[in-house]
Amino acid sequence: MAALDLWTDGMARAAIIEFVERVTTPGGDDHVPPAERVAVFDNDGTLWCEKPMPIQLDFILRRLAAMADQDPELRTRQPWQAAYTRDYGWLGQLITSHYQGDDSELPVLAAGILQAFAGITVDDFEAQADAFLRSTQHPTLGRGYLTCAYRPMVQLLGYLEANGFANYIASGGGRDFMRPISQEVYGIPRQRVIGSSTTLAWEPDEGGGRIIRKPELDVVDDGPAKPVRIWSRVGRRPLLAAGNSNGDLPMLAFTGQPGRPSLRLLVLHDDPAREFDYTSGAEHALQQARRHGWTVVSMEHDWRVVFAETPL
Amino acid sequence: MAALDLWTDGMARAAIIEFVERVTTPGGDDHVPPAERVAVFDNDGTLWCEKPMPIQLDFILRRLAAMADQDPELRTRQPWQAAYTRDYGWLGQLITSHYQGDDSELPVLAAGILQAFAGITVDDFEAQADAFLRSTQHPTLGRGYLTCAYRPMVQLLGYLEANGFANYIASGGGRDFMRPISQEVYGIPRQRVIGSSTTLAWEPDEGGGRIIRKPELDVVDDGPAKPVRIWSRVGRRPLLAAGNSNGDLPMLAFTGQPGRPSLRLLVLHDDPAREFDYTSGAEHALQQARRHGWTVVSMEHDWRVVFAETPL
């Protein structure tokens, strides 16, 4: 079987195979020892679907709606009001503004998000995330969220791993939200999931202590935080990075170094029939990709399939 | 060759071997799958020597002295004054106070430490740390710093790895200080080094951007921060933890869970002939070890050798 057979015989597939062969050919000029083969992947919109809203936002909104269901006073305050009345306009505008560089309304949402899971243990949070991801349908695609991963990207992860790469998720989404399913969905073990995080605190108890989520933001792993977070966790520059939005630009830039092989992939959502069609939030990334010759991956043209055939 | 032959035939060695056999015996009640076999190690005083001062403190003091050499005004201010005049009394008192829970003078030292390497890239910092560790002699032991690792502990790391464990360093010392030598000295790859950190920032440039050290503390990986940092990085509770001081107590506590095998090791410095003899800063840890039946490792009685035979 040919490598990456879920990819069409186009430039993206050729660029990946050519890069991996250069890096792995013993004695070659661009050979890189396995320990240094690090690949980093954004998650939302790069490894799985992020429309009509990031999967984690659905998780949070359901929790906020449940809180407002219990406490009528919350129904008059954002973001509980939007969650309770399913006012996706308020949220959509907030996300669009974020990608345009305007985060003035973001603290309102952030405060709600931080309250939504405050005070619970990391184990309880993980159990809730896991149950949500296994039981919830995507709102429009007619499939469960766990089958919203892009199969060609999952195949790419396996191809890289088979060639000695260590794959990491470097996501703007929540680290602890992805961890329960990262091995199963992507083959990426939980210690290789890097993402946004809330502040945690250890509290002693009779059985080894518990780690509690505090209502404080720790790190938003987006934009210039991505290279810092990758360095802090991995201690190396990646050789390969894949993203799909402006927030991935610093990570994509960081991946290239003079005199070292690198591959930068930018997933382009141009496939309204099978997924979605949008460039909002990716304008600068697409500009930079064209300017620097990074590899744009067209969902429509480069992928034979997008999702697994059998929906949940 | 018997396992752990650098350890005497005592209770500590027996406890380790018995624990590892329980965890790895297929079908046994306490069997743990390899992916969940996580072991965490404090560094200073647990994997290598921390007296008469932590190795990294020597590194920092030499840098502060060099700064004071360039700038006479600094010679009148702490911590530059102590570094420049080699006034170890001021520093020793500060460390003793820290272990006794009094950190009132610590900000003075911290401010100096943060200034010492501010504004340089992580690559430059690593090169300086690496050069220092390879070229500097321990002040009293007559050996280079790189040979100040405890051979029985290095052997333990290898034994655990051979039994499917992933070993992590969870140190109060600086993560980026240990990374250049962790593979060579301990067989622990750089991505498994967890430790204290300064704030980093990514700055774009023509070649992928640079990561710069800022004069701000990020995380002091000591005390209750250790379990949080371990969870954040690994996403699992460890099965085995080894430490030597009060700052390791939360990590040691976190390692035990009802219904799961665990091993807690506390290195006791009781060997003035071969290393040092002190319990200062470890009083509570020793109390807890006795109370909970953790395994105290006596350097004098449990280790056949301490250091490598051939000094640098």
Side-chain angles (χ1 to χ4, degrees), chain A residues 122-246:
Chain A
V122 288
D123 311 277
D124 286 346
F125 179 83
E126 177 156 328
Q128 289 184 37
D130 189 62
F132 166 82
L133 285 165
R134 288 176 198 287
S135 65
T136 312
Q137 290 281 114
H138 184 280
T140 64
L141 291 172
R143 56 177 58 248
Y145 274 141
L146 271 203
T147 65
C148 285
Y150 307 135
R151 281 191 65 209
M153 293 303 283
V154 173
Q155 187 178 53
L156 172 59
L157 292 169
Y159 175 69
L160 291 170
E161 191 181 356
N163 280 284
F165 280 78
N167 298 317
Y168 289 79
I169 292 177
S171 172
R175 176 194 66 208
D176 296 343
F177 179 72
M178 294 173 281
R179 272 182 168 167
I181 55 83
S182 65
Q183 179 71 51
E184 181 179 334
V185 174
Y186 300 127
I188 294 179
R190 52 200 299 123
Q191 67 271 19
R192 291 200 188 138
V193 178
I194 310 170
S196 297
S197 56
T198 54
T199 300
L200 305 175
W202 179 77
E203 293 180 355
D205 65 14
E206 291 307 298
R210 308 174 309 160
I211 295 185
I212 302 287
R213 292 172 64 93
K214 300 184 74 173
E216 293 167 24
L217 202 55
D218 179 22
V219 175
V220 178
D221 190 20
D222 198 33
K226 285 203 181 195
V228 169
R229 195 88 155 155
I230 291 166
W231 176 266
S232 299
R233 288 282 295 278
V234 185
R236 298 184 189 278
R237 262 180 212 253
L239 294 184
L240 183 153
N244 79 303
S245 78
N246 300 339

Side-chain angles (χ1 to χ4, degrees), chain B residues 12 27 34 55 59 111 114 130-132 175 225 251 262 266 294 312:
Chain B
I55 295 173
F59 175 60
L114 290 170
D130 188 62
F132 166 81
R175 176 194 65 210
M251 172 179 82
S262 64
L266 193 72
W294 301 345
L312 199 70

